[in-house]
Amino acid sequence: DAGVIQSPRHEVTEMGQEVTLRCKPISGHNSLFWYRQTMMRGLELLIYFNNNVPIDDSGMPEDRFSAKMPNASFSTLKIQPSEPRDSAVYFCASSSLTLLDRNSNQPQHFGDGTRLSIL
Amino acid sequence: DAKTTQPPSMDCAEGRAANLPCNHSTISGNEYVYWYRQIHSQGPQYIIHGLKNNETNEMASLIITEDRKSSTLILPHATLRDTAVYYCIVVRRALTFGSGTRLQVQP
């Protein structure tokens, strides 16, 4: 079975440019998560969706960041304009978690990430 | 979500069992204990999770104390490929990763 697929694997761009990261969750999963990993802050949750609806975006650092999930098989994380401090590895994960779950008994499965460098 | 405490690093000889401890003294009754690992430059990999009972799968065993305030992840026969950072996470819905334990398996 295909896992979570992220693209691109690496992105290098100049500050001020728009960056779009893409994610295809595991088929049948209805929850999708975006994380960011840096040496300083570790792995942080940015936003998560359930049934294509954003549920918690409290981890999104600022208005330059936006995420969408137009359908169950695709999500994007956009940074506009990008800044050098946005350089990090961005991970997408998916699970079968539903909002009705009082407890999180469904593991998240991660993609291989996008390594983003803003010059 | 409850906070977890793990040793920053551990060593283990290849072929021996690796026992990774985790303290989660503030865990609530309906929060699960999850273990993930991250091998350099890869995404976190799910290992195992549990609520109250001990769990075992093809990768590892999870031992949770009766009071649920701590747990131990056991890799029964560690190999060099098990060298990674291991994260113990107590979660209700979303994952909050701490610093984890860097496990180095020695030949």
Side-chain angles (χ1 to χ4, degrees), chain B residues 45-98:
Chain B
Q45 178 188 23
Y46 165 76
I47 301 173
I48 197 167
H49 73 286
L51 183 63
K52 297 179 181 178
N53 300 321
N54 298 336
E55 302 288 344
T56 295
N57 62 20
E58 64 278 6
M59 290 183 66
S61 294
L62 174 60
I63 308 298
I64 303 174
T65 58
E66 191 169 344
D67 63 7
R68 301 210 327 121
K69 294 183 183 300
S70 65
S71 61
T72 301
L73 178 74
I74 301 173
L75 308 178
H77 306 286
T79 70
L80 297 178
R81 288 177 294 180
D82 292 322
T83 292
V85 178
Y86 287 77
Y87 297 98
C88 168
I89 304 166
V90 173
V91 61
R92 181 167 299 171
R93 190 163 289 164
L95 301 176
T96 302
F97 287 81

Coordinates of all heavy atoms in Angstrom, one line a residue, chain B residues 45-98:
Chain B
Q45 N 8.3 7.2 12.3 CA 7.7 5.9 12.0 C 6.9 5.4 13.3 O 7.5 5.4 14.4 CB 8.8 4.9 11.7 CG 8.3 3.5 11.4 CD 9.4 2.5 11.2 OE1 10.5 2.7 11.7 NE2 9.1 1.4 10.5
Y46 N 5.6 5.1 13.1 CA 4.8 4.6 14.2 C 5.4 3.2 14.6 O 5.7 2.4 13.8 CB 3.4 4.4 13.7 CG 2.5 3.6 14.6 CD1 2.1 4.1 15.8 CD2 2.2 2.3 14.2 CE1 1.3 3.3 16.7 CE2 1.4 1.5 15.1 CZ 1.0 2.0 16.3 OH 0.2 1.2 17.1
I47 N 5.5 3.0 15.9 CA 5.9 1.7 16.4 C 4.8 0.9 17.1 O 4.5 -0.2 16.7 CB 7.1 1.9 17.4 CG1 8.3 2.6 16.8 CG2 7.5 0.5 18.0 CD1 9.4 3.0 17.8
I48 N 4.2 1.5 18.1 CA 3.2 0.8 18.9 C 2.5 1.8 19.8 O 3.0 2.9 20.0 CB 3.9 -0.2 19.8 CG1 3.0 -1.3 20.3 CG2 4.7 0.4 20.9 CD1 3.7 -2.5 20.9
H49 N 1.3 1.5 20.3 CA 0.6 2.3 21.2 C -0.2 1.4 22.2 O -0.6 0.3 21.8 CB -0.2 3.4 20.6 CG -1.5 2.9 19.9 ND1 -1.5 2.2 18.7 CD2 -2.8 3.0 20.3 CE1 -2.7 2.0 18.4 NE2 -3.5 2.4 19.3
G50 N -0.6 2.0 23.3 CA -1.4 1.3 24.3 C -2.1 2.2 25.2 O -1.8 3.4 25.3
L51 N -3.1 1.7 25.9 CA -3.9 2.5 26.9 C -3.6 2.0 28.3 O -3.1 2.8 29.1 CB -5.4 2.4 26.6 CG -6.3 3.2 27.5 CD1 -6.0 4.7 27.3 CD2 -7.8 2.9 27.2
K52 N -3.9 0.7 28.6 CA -3.7 0.2 29.9 C -2.9 -1.1 29.9 O -2.0 -1.4 30.7 CB -5.0 -0.1 30.6 CG -5.8 1.2 30.9 CD -7.2 0.8 31.5 CE -8.0 2.1 31.8 NZ -9.3 1.7 32.4
N53 N -3.2 -1.9 28.9 CA -2.6 -3.3 28.8 C -1.3 -3.2 28.1 O -1.1 -2.3 27.3 CB -3.6 -4.2 28.1 CG -4.9 -4.4 28.8 OD1 -4.9 -4.4 30.1 ND2 -5.9 -4.4 28.1
N54 N -0.5 -4.2 28.4 CA 0.8 -4.3 27.6 C 0.4 -4.7 26.2 O -0.6 -5.4 26.0 CB 1.7 -5.4 28.3 CG 2.1 -5.0 29.7 OD1 2.1 -3.8 30.0 ND2 2.4 -5.9 30.5
E55 N 1.2 -4.3 25.3 CA 1.0 -4.5 23.9 C 2.3 -5.1 23.2 O 3.4 -4.7 23.6 CB 0.6 -3.3 23.1 CG -0.7 -2.6 23.7 CD -2.0 -3.3 23.4 OE1 -2.0 -4.2 22.5 OE2 -3.0 -3.1 24.0
T56 N 2.1 -5.9 22.2 CA 3.2 -6.4 21.4 C 2.8 -6.5 20.0 O 1.7 -6.8 19.6 CB 3.6 -7.8 21.9 OG1 4.0 -7.8 23.3 CG2 4.7 -8.4 21.1
N57 N 3.8 -6.1 19.1 CA 3.6 -6.3 17.7 C 4.9 -6.8 17.1 O 5.8 -7.2 17.8 CB 3.0 -5.0 17.0 CG 4.0 -3.8 17.1 OD1 5.2 -4.0 17.3 ND2 3.5 -2.7 16.9
E58 N 5.0 -6.8 15.8 CA 6.2 -7.3 15.1 C 7.4 -6.5 15.4 O 8.5 -7.0 15.1 CB 5.9 -7.5 13.6 CG 5.7 -6.2 12.9 CD 4.3 -5.7 13.0 OE1 3.5 -6.3 13.7 OE2 4.0 -4.7 12.3
M59 N 7.2 -5.3 15.8 CA 8.4 -4.4 16.0 C 8.9 -4.3 17.4 O 10.1 -4.3 17.7 CB 8.0 -3.0 15.6 CG 7.9 -2.7 14.1 SD 7.6 -1.0 13.7 CE 9.1 -0.3 14.1
A60 N 7.9 -4.3 18.4 CA 8.3 -4.0 19.7 C 7.2 -4.5 20.7 O 6.1 -4.9 20.3 CB 8.6 -2.5 19.9
S61 N 7.6 -4.4 22.0 CA 6.6 -4.6 23.1 C 6.5 -3.3 23.9 O 7.5 -2.6 24.0 CB 7.0 -5.7 24.0 OG 7.0 -6.9 23.3
L62 N 5.3 -3.0 24.4 CA 5.1 -1.9 25.2 C 4.5 -2.3 26.6 O 3.5 -3.0 26.7 CB 4.0 -0.9 24.6 CG 3.6 0.3 25.4 CD1 4.8 1.2 25.7 CD2 2.5 1.1 24.6
I63 N 5.3 -2.0 27.6 CA 4.9 -2.3 29.0 C 4.5 -1.1 29.7 O 5.2 -0.1 29.8 CB 6.1 -3.0 29.7 CG1 6.7 -4.1 28.9 CG2 5.6 -3.4 31.1 CD1 5.7 -5.3 28.7
I64 N 3.2 -1.0 30.2 CA 2.7 0.1 30.9 C 2.4 -0.3 32.3 O 1.8 -1.3 32.6 CB 1.4 0.6 30.2 CG1 1.6 0.9 28.7 CG2 0.8 1.8 30.9 CD1 0.3 1.3 28.0
T65 N 2.9 0.6 33.2 CA 2.8 0.2 34.6 C 1.3 0.3 35.0 O 0.5 1.0 34.3 CB 3.6 1.2 35.5 OG1 3.2 2.5 35.3 CG2 5.1 1.0 35.3
E66 N 1.0 -0.4 36.1 CA -0.5 -0.4 36.5 C -1.0 1.0 36.8 O -2.2 1.2 36.5 CB -0.6 -1.3 37.8 CG -2.0 -1.7 38.1 CD -2.1 -2.7 39.2 OE1 -1.1 -3.4 39.4 OE2 -3.2 -2.9 39.7
D67 N -0.2 1.9 37.3 CA -0.7 3.2 37.6 C -0.7 4.1 36.4 O -1.1 5.3 36.4 CB 0.0 3.9 38.8 CG 1.5 4.0 38.5 OD1 1.9 3.8 37.4 OD2 2.2 4.4 39.5
R68 N -0.1 3.6 35.3 CA 0.0 4.3 34.0 C 0.9 5.5 34.0 O 0.9 6.3 33.1 CB -1.4 4.7 33.5 CG -2.3 3.5 33.3 CD -3.3 3.6 32.2 NE -3.8 5.0 31.9 CZ -3.7 5.6 30.8 NH1 -3.1 5.0 29.7 NH2 -4.2 6.8 30.6
K69 N 1.7 5.6 35.1 CA 2.6 6.8 35.2 C 3.9 6.6 34.4 O 4.7 7.6 34.3 CB 2.8 7.1 36.6 CG 1.6 7.6 37.4 CD 1.9 8.0 38.8 CE 0.6 8.4 39.6 NZ -0.1 9.5 39.0
S70 N 4.1 5.4 34.0 CA 5.4 5.2 33.2 C 5.2 4.0 32.2 O 4.2 3.2 32.4 CB 6.6 5.0 34.1 OG 6.4 3.8 34.8
S71 N 6.0 4.0 31.3 CA 6.0 2.8 30.3 C 7.4 2.5 29.8 O 8.3 3.4 30.0 CB 5.1 3.1 29.2 OG 5.5 4.3 28.4
T72 N 7.6 1.4 29.2 CA 8.8 1.0 28.7 C 8.6 0.4 27.3 O 7.8 -0.5 27.1 CB 9.6 -0.1 29.5 OG1 9.8 0.5 30.8 CG2 10.9 -0.5 28.9
L73 N 9.4 0.8 26.3 CA 9.4 0.3 25.0 C 10.5 -0.7 24.9 O 11.6 -0.4 25.3 CB 9.6 1.3 23.9 CG 9.6 0.8 22.5 CD1 8.2 0.4 22.0 CD2 10.2 1.8 21.6
I74 N 10.2 -1.9 24.5 CA 11.2 -3.0 24.4 C 11.4 -3.4 22.9 O 10.5 -3.8 22.3 CB 10.8 -4.2 25.3 CG1 10.7 -3.8 26.7 CG2 11.9 -5.3 25.1 CD1 10.1 -4.9 27.6
L75 N 12.6 -3.2 22.5 CA 13.0 -3.8 21.2 C 13.8 -5.1 21.5 O 14.9 -5.1 22.1 CB 13.9 -2.9 20.4 CG 13.4 -1.4 20.2 CD1 14.5 -0.6 19.5 CD2 12.1 -1.4 19.5
P76 N 13.2 -6.3 21.3 CA 13.7 -7.5 21.8 C 15.1 -7.9 21.4 O 15.9 -8.4 22.1 CB 12.7 -8.6 21.4 CG 12.0 -8.0 20.3 CD 12.0 -6.5 20.5
H77 N 15.5 -7.6 20.1 CA 16.8 -7.9 19.6 C 17.2 -6.8 18.7 O 17.0 -6.7 17.5 CB 16.7 -9.2 18.8 CG 16.2 -10.4 19.5 ND1 16.9 -11.1 20.5 CD2 15.0 -11.0 19.4 CE1 16.1 -12.0 21.0 NE2 15.0 -12.0 20.3
A78 N 17.8 -5.8 19.3 CA 18.2 -4.6 18.6 C 19.2 -4.8 17.5 O 20.1 -5.6 17.6 CB 18.8 -3.5 19.6
T79 N 19.0 -4.2 16.4 CA 19.9 -4.2 15.3 C 20.5 -2.8 15.0 O 19.9 -1.8 15.5 CB 19.3 -4.8 14.0 OG1 18.4 -3.8 13.5 CG2 18.5 -6.1 14.2
L80 N 21.5 -2.7 14.1 CA 22.0 -1.4 13.8 C 21.0 -0.5 13.2 O 21.0 0.7 13.4 CB 23.2 -1.6 12.9 CG 24.4 -2.4 13.5 CD1 25.5 -2.5 12.4 CD2 25.0 -1.8 14.7
R81 N 20.0 -1.1 12.5 CA 19.0 -0.3 11.9 C 18.0 0.3 12.8 O 17.1 1.1 12.5 CB 18.2 -1.2 10.8 CG 19.1 -1.5 9.6 CD 18.3 -2.4 8.6 NE 18.1 -3.7 9.2 CZ 17.5 -4.7 8.5 NH1 16.9 -4.5 7.3 NH2 17.3 -5.8 9.1
D82 N 18.1 -0.2 14.1 CA 17.2 0.4 15.1 C 17.8 1.7 15.7 O 17.2 2.3 16.6 CB 17.0 -0.6 16.2 CG 16.1 -1.8 15.8 OD1 15.2 -1.6 15.0 OD2 16.4 -2.9 16.2
T83 N 19.0 2.1 15.3 CA 19.5 3.4 15.7 C 18.7 4.5 15.3 O 18.5 4.7 14.0 CB 21.0 3.5 15.2 OG1 21.8 2.5 15.9 CG2 21.5 4.9 15.5
A84 N 18.1 5.3 16.2 CA 17.1 6.3 15.8 C 16.8 7.1 17.1 O 17.3 6.8 18.2 CB 15.9 5.7 15.3
V85 N 16.0 8.2 16.9 CA 15.5 8.9 18.1 C 14.1 8.3 18.3 O 13.3 8.2 17.4 CB 15.4 10.4 17.8 CG1 14.8 11.1 19.0 CG2 16.8 11.0 17.5
Y86 N 13.8 7.9 19.5 CA 12.6 7.3 19.9 C 11.7 8.3 20.7 O 12.2 8.8 21.7 CB 12.8 6.0 20.7 CG 13.3 4.9 19.8 CD1 14.6 4.9 19.4 CD2 12.5 3.9 19.4 CE1 15.1 3.9 18.5 CE2 12.9 2.9 18.6 CZ 14.2 2.9 18.1 OH 14.7 1.9 17.3
Y87 N 10.5 8.5 20.3 CA 9.6 9.5 21.0 C 8.5 8.7 21.7 O 7.8 7.9 21.1 CB 9.0 10.4 20.0 CG 10.0 11.3 19.3 CD1 10.5 11.0 18.0 CD2 10.5 12.5 19.8 CE1 11.3 11.8 17.3 CE2 11.3 13.3 19.2 CZ 11.8 13.0 17.9 OH 12.6 13.8 17.3
C88 N 8.3 9.0 23.0 CA 7.2 8.6 23.8 C 6.2 9.7 23.8 O 6.6 10.9 24.2 CB 7.7 8.2 25.1 SG 6.3 7.9 26.4
I89 N 5.0 9.5 23.4 CA 4.0 10.6 23.3 C 2.7 10.2 24.0 O 2.2 9.1 23.7 CB 3.7 11.0 21.9 CG1 5.0 11.3 21.2 CG2 2.7 12.1 21.8 CD1 4.9 11.3 19.7
V90 N 2.2 11.0 24.8 CA 0.8 10.8 25.4 C -0.1 11.7 24.7 O 0.1 12.9 24.6 CB 0.8 11.1 26.9 CG1 -0.6 11.0 27.4 CG2 1.7 10.1 27.6
V91 N -1.1 11.2 24.1 CA -1.9 12.0 23.2 C -3.4 11.7 23.3 O -3.8 10.6 23.5 CB -1.5 11.8 21.7 CG1 -1.7 10.3 21.3 CG2 -2.2 12.7 20.7
R92 N -4.2 12.7 23.2 CA -5.6 12.6 23.1 C -6.1 12.6 21.6 O -7.0 11.9 21.2 CB -6.3 13.6 23.9 CG -7.9 13.5 23.9 CD -8.5 14.3 25.0 NE -8.0 13.9 26.3 CZ -8.3 14.6 27.4 NH1 -9.0 15.8 27.3 NH2 -7.9 14.2 28.6
R93 N -5.5 13.5 20.9 CA -5.9 13.7 19.5 C -4.7 13.9 18.6 O -4.4 13.2 17.7 CB -6.9 14.8 19.3 CG -7.6 14.8 18.0 CD -8.8 15.6 18.0 NE -9.9 15.0 18.7 CZ -11.0 15.5 19.1 NH1 -11.2 16.8 19.0 NH2 -11.9 14.9 19.8
A94 N -4.0 15.0 18.8 CA -2.8 15.3 18.0 C -1.5 15.0 18.8 O -1.5 14.9 20.0 CB -2.8 16.8 17.7
L95 N -0.4 14.7 18.0 CA 0.8 14.3 18.6 C 1.6 15.6 19.0 O 1.7 16.5 18.2 CB 1.6 13.5 17.6 CG 1.0 12.2 17.1 CD1 1.9 11.6 16.1 CD2 0.8 11.3 18.3
T96 N 2.2 15.5 20.2 CA 3.2 16.6 20.6 C 4.5 15.9 20.9 O 4.6 15.1 21.8 CB 2.7 17.3 21.9 OG1 1.4 17.9 21.6 CG2 3.7 18.4 22.2
F97 N 5.5 16.1 20.0 CA 6.8 15.5 20.1 C 7.7 16.2 21.1 O 7.8 17.4 21.0 CB 7.4 15.4 18.8 CG 6.8 14.4 17.8 CD1 5.7 14.7 17.1 CD2 7.4 13.1 17.7 CE1 5.1 13.8 16.3 CE2 6.8 12.2 16.8 CZ 5.7 12.5 16.1
G98 N 8.3 15.5 22.0 CA 9.3 16.1 22.9 C 10.7 15.9 22.2 O 10.8 15.8 21.0

